[in-house]
Amino acid sequence: LTLEGLALFLNQLSQFKKGIPAKENLYFFFFFEGIKKQNKRMDLEDIQEVLFEKIKEEPNLMNQIRKLYSYIIIDEFQDTDKSQVDCLLEITATTNIFCVGDDDQAIYGFRGIKVSGMEYFQTVFPQTIIYYLTQNYRSRKEIIELSKRLICHNQNRYPKVICAVKESKEIPGY
């Protein structure tokens, strides 16, 4: 674990649990790290670190990975961070990358994931083309209108117009 990683973790934890003193934050951090080590487990950050270390140690590994994949598909892209985009950039030899994500559905802010990973992807791959799926087939118009009033308060979001395909109906009991 790097010092930067520790600082990020503590910042995230303090954001998540306001009012917890730094000493307790450190306790939770080392407790979590101890549990992982004791059970021989890794979290996503550990896996990324190991991958980067292995690639640096064994250049042939990167070439093998690059030969395996001509096309890459990434789902839930809104939950991707800068380090994951950097990892993708490091291991891919292709620009045949298809990402699916909705910045309004990002849910991992508590882990430090920001939708800025989507913006960063566009700087790394400037030929990126964005398609907005603006028709919602799942929810009725009332739900879409209500969610738009809430979502418009999100900062740093891609502007898009979302429309309901389902017609409004009165729901018995509501």
Side-chain angles (χ1 to χ4, degrees), residues 64-156:
Q64 290 172 352
I65 293 171
R66 285 179 174 174
K67 287 178 187 175
L68 280 176
Y69 304 102
S70 301
Y71 300 91
I72 296 173
I73 299 174
I74 303 170
D75 195 11
E76 302 296 340
F77 194 63
Q78 70 274 4
D79 297 320
T80 304
D81 65 9
K82 181 183 181 302
S83 66
Q84 291 166 329
V85 173
D86 286 339
C87 182
L88 176 67
L89 181 61
E90 197 69 34
I91 65 172
T92 187
T94 183
T95 57
N96 296 321
I97 303 170
F98 185 85
C99 303
V100 177
D102 181 357
D103 56 324
D104 289 328
Q105 295 184 37
I107 60 171
Y108 289 105
F110 70 92
R111 251 192 41 207
I113 303 297
K114 296 178 175 64
V115 293
S116 58
M118 295 173 80
E119 294 167 1
Y120 178 63
F121 181 87
Q122 291 177 296
T123 63
V124 173
F125 297 99
Q127 68 279 18
T128 298
I129 300 171
I130 298 176
Y131 298 98
Y132 294 101
L133 304 179
T134 59
Q135 293 181 318
N136 183 302
Y137 293 90
R138 190 176 292 170
S139 300
R140 298 195 189 281
K141 184 178 181 179
E142 296 90 354
I143 301 296
I144 298 302
E145 293 305 315
L146 184 62
S147 65
K148 285 180 356 184
R149 290 195 340 230
L150 180 65
I151 288 171
C152 72
H153 296 284
N154 289 354
Q155 296 175 349
N156 301 323

Side-chain angles (χ1 to χ4, degrees), residues 2-14:
T2 63
L3 189 57
E4 182 182 90
L6 175 60
L8 178 63
F9 174 81
L10 292 175
N11 182 45
Q12 292 165 0
L13 190 57
S14 67

